[in-house]
Amino acid sequence: MLLAPFIARLRKKIVLLLLAVLGGILGVLPDLIGLYGFVLRHDHGVLYGSAHYGAVKDVLQYIPMYALHLGVDSLTHDPDRQWYGWNIRIWLQILLWLANVAVIWWFARIWKRNTTAEHS
């Protein structure tokens, strides 16, 4: 989403890809921090908890992609929602993934239209 104001100005595909990868990494950062804690530090979820609810979150929550991850997690990790049956949790995940795909498709069209018009 941070690309939205700048998508019309990007001309090189490599810059677009690098920004998309960086945004993706920042978006998944809370889980990457937790994975580091589980796998390498064997901390039984201490870093995961800190990245999602504690001191690490308090510092990194101002990165928009990180904050979006935390916001989606707050909706989908509610203990009253289940992954099975007709509960809202799975449908919310599916809806958010479809919205993500739609925005990526939309941005790709804008970028492609701008680069094609530039070469014409």
Side-chain angles (χ1 to χ4, degrees):
M1 289 305 291
L2 285 180
L3 286 176
F6 309 108
I7 194 80
R9 295 184 183 152
L10 294 175
R11 299 293 181 241
K12 295 184 178 182
K13 190 180 243 183
I14 189 71
V15 173
L16 179 66
L17 292 174
L18 286 172
L19 288 173
V21 168
L22 177 63
I25 290 170
L26 290 173
V28 77
L29 191 56
D31 290 340
L32 290 176
I33 292 170
L35 183 66
Y36 169 76
F38 278 115
V39 174
L40 297 176
R41 294 189 63 196
H42 306 289
D43 68 356
H44 305 288
V46 172
L47 268 178
Y48 180 88
S50 182
H52 284 80
Y53 315 107
V56 174
K57 176 212 143 224
D58 291 342
V59 173
L60 297 178
Q61 68 182 341
Y62 301 105
I63 299 171
M65 291 75 71
Y66 196 98
L68 180 63
H69 179 111
L70 297 176
V72 170
D73 275 3
S74 72
L75 293 172
T76 59
H77 291 349
D78 184 344
D80 293 333
R81 295 186 179 126
Q82 302 295 325
W83 278 109
Y84 53 87
W86 290 102
N87 261 328
I88 192 170
R89 189 173 179 182
I90 188 68
W91 298 110
L92 182 59
Q93 278 283 7
I94 290 169
L95 228 137
L96 290 171
W97 274 105
L98 288 174
N100 189 30
V101 168
V103 167
I104 291 170
W105 176 79
W106 180 40
F107 282 3
R109 283 189 51 136
I110 291 170
W111 183 79
K112 192 167 196 120
R113 184 183 63 223
N114 288 340
T115 55
T116 304
E118 185 179 279
H119 294 298
S120 296

